[in-house]
Amino acid sequence: MKAFITLLFLIFSLQNFAQNISGQAYYQSKNALDFDVSDTKSQLSEDVKKTILDGMKSMLENTFILTFNKEESIYREEEKLDANPAYAGMKMMMGSFMPGPMYKNLKTGKMLEENEFFGKQFLVTDTIQKLDWKLEKESKQIGQYVVFKATAIKKIDPNDFLMARPKKKDSSANEAKDEKEKNADNKKNEIPDPMDMIEIPEEIEITAWYTPQIPVSNGPGEYGGLPGLIMELSFYKTTILCSKIVMNPKAAEKIEAPKKGKEVSREEYTKIVKEKTEELRENFRNMGGRRGSGF
């Protein structure tokens, strides 16, 4: 109860300070990777399997910078040198599903996102999604900031491949697998469909930790809507943690709405991704079916 009273006091006392606030927040994004490549039927060597796992881990651990003021922000991945050229192909493939620089205008509720999808540039227009946050009384310390807990449930688009994770093993799945293996004598060399090994949840629970000491209703990526900057975010095996904040920096990226790419709505872009993914999946099936013919 004491922490919650402190929260209310901070919100009230910092309202005037918020009018001219600006800053940069650095976030480390990490994903728990529990994908067992050994479960696949492909004839991959152990070295190749390790390369795949290391590459996926490298792709999923990134640093992002949120440059913000009271009403606007731009969120982009920090540029870094590719330490392992062996992951170049995988990075190009996964990069097609990774969002680019994201601009948010809290006053208008508008969001713009630059995306490059298989060599084509798109400017995705959207509205900032408003989550039904539940403010909790629990608090803790992150660096010099007091943060408070908030939770919400978010519906997931079935074509949001950023939320894809390996399918969980269960008894029914194992029974189906055994049955399939009994009738697979003529398919020993068939390459497995990667889409059969992943799943996308219908909804996820989001836990955020925000600080009223930085009274901007913003946070990493598309997230915000709380009475303070989000310092930590966790959902579906992903954790995004703020590692550094620079308030009122003298030299910072100018916050401007992106303009690069063909302008499409979120619905239109989702349709494009779905159709292209189905095309790639079909090509993969055909390639697997002709493995013996040299494809």
Side-chain angles (χ1 to χ4, degrees):
M1 186 64 183
K2 182 178 179 181
F4 197 65
I5 293 175
T6 302
L7 166 61
L8 295 177
F9 175 77
L10 284 171
I11 294 174
F12 179 78
S13 62
L14 291 170
Q15 283 182 343
N16 292 330
F17 167 70
Q19 299 306 314
N20 299 313
I21 195 171
S22 66
Q24 285 186 303
Y26 292 73
Y27 293 92
Q28 300 290 331
S29 176
K30 293 187 177 183
N31 290 263
L33 190 62
D34 56 3
F35 182 41
D36 187 0
V37 185
S38 63
D39 286 342
T40 69
K41 291 293 182 181
S42 57
Q43 306 298 315
L44 300 177
S45 68
E46 293 302 318
D47 288 341
V48 172
K49 291 178 183 179
K50 184 177 184 304
T51 298
I52 292 174
L53 287 174
D54 290 345
M56 291 179 69
K57 183 178 179 182
S58 175
M59 297 303 103
L60 295 173
E61 293 185 356
N62 304 292
T63 299
F64 295 87
I65 303 174
L66 176 70
T67 303
F68 63 88
N69 57 36
K70 179 63 177 177
E71 295 181 347
E72 297 176 286
S73 68
I74 189 81
Y75 183 75
R76 67 171 73 244
E77 183 177 358
E78 183 180 44
E79 294 184 6
K80 61 181 179 181
L81 295 176
D82 191 355
N84 194 331
Y87 303 148
M90 185 180 300
K91 185 173 183 179
M92 182 179 298
M93 179 70 174
M94 294 185 66
S96 293
F97 295 96
M98 297 293 288
M102 180 183 292
Y103 166 85
K104 289 185 291 187
N105 188 309
L106 304 182
K107 186 175 182 179
T108 64
K110 185 177 182 180
M111 185 167 70
L112 292 171
E113 184 180 286
E114 277 188 5
N115 282 336
E116 181 180 347
F117 186 67
F118 285 95
K120 293 185 178 181
Q121 293 286 344
F122 294 93
L123 182 63
V124 183
T125 64
D126 204 352
T127 55
I128 300 175
Q129 183 179 359
K130 295 182 179 180
L131 296 175
D132 185 16
W133 290 107
K134 179 183 178 182
L135 303 185
E136 310 282 358
K137 297 180 180 180
E138 188 176 348
S139 66
K140 65 179 182 179
Q141 194 90 10
I142 296 181
Q144 67 187 68
Y145 298 96
V146 178
V147 296
F148 295 84
K149 185 178 180 180
T151 57
I153 300 296
K154 178 185 176 183
K155 299 291 184 181
I156 301 300
D157 187 295
N159 298 300
D160 186 353
F161 291 99
L162 291 178
M163 289 293 175
R165 293 294 185 272
K167 286 184 177 179
K168 296 180 180 179
K169 298 179 183 179
D170 54 38
S171 57
S172 59
N174 289 333
E175 290 175 5
K177 179 180 177 182
D178 293 339
E179 183 64 25
K180 184 176 181 180
E181 288 178 347
K182 291 178 182 179
N183 302 311
D185 292 337
N186 60 338
K187 296 183 179 181
K188 290 182 180 179
N189 293 323
E190 185 174 343
I191 299 175
D193 187 341
M195 301 301 291
D196 290 337
M197 297 184 287
I198 63 173
E199 60 184 356
I200 299 174
E202 295 181 0
E203 62 180 28
I204 58 173
E205 181 178 8
I206 301 171
T207 299
W209 294 88
Y210 64 97
T211 176
Q213 291 174 257
I214 304 177
V216 293
S217 187
N218 215 326
E222 65 193 82
Y223 297 99
L226 288 166
L229 181 70
I230 295 175
M231 300 284 289
E232 182 179 333
L233 196 70
S234 58
F235 55 88
Y236 198 50
K237 301 180 182 179
T238 296
T239 300
I240 303 175
L241 179 63
C242 184
S243 58
K244 182 176 74 171
I245 291 181
V246 181
M247 296 304 300
N248 303 313
K250 294 182 180 180
E253 177 185 7
K254 188 176 180 180
I255 301 176
E256 293 181 328
K259 300 177 181 179
K260 188 177 180 180
K262 178 183 177 181
E263 186 171 325
V264 294
S265 67
R266 177 66 64 185
E267 291 75 17
E268 290 171 330
Y269 184 70
T270 299
K271 183 179 179 181
I272 292 170
V273 172
K274 180 180 179 181
E275 290 176 351
K276 184 62 177 179
T277 302
E278 286 300 323
E279 177 188 332
L280 292 172
R281 189 179 186 186
E282 185 62 29
N283 291 340
F284 190 87
R285 288 197 194 101
N286 294 335
M287 181 182 66
R290 300 194 195 101
R291 187 174 182 179
S293 63
F295 284 91

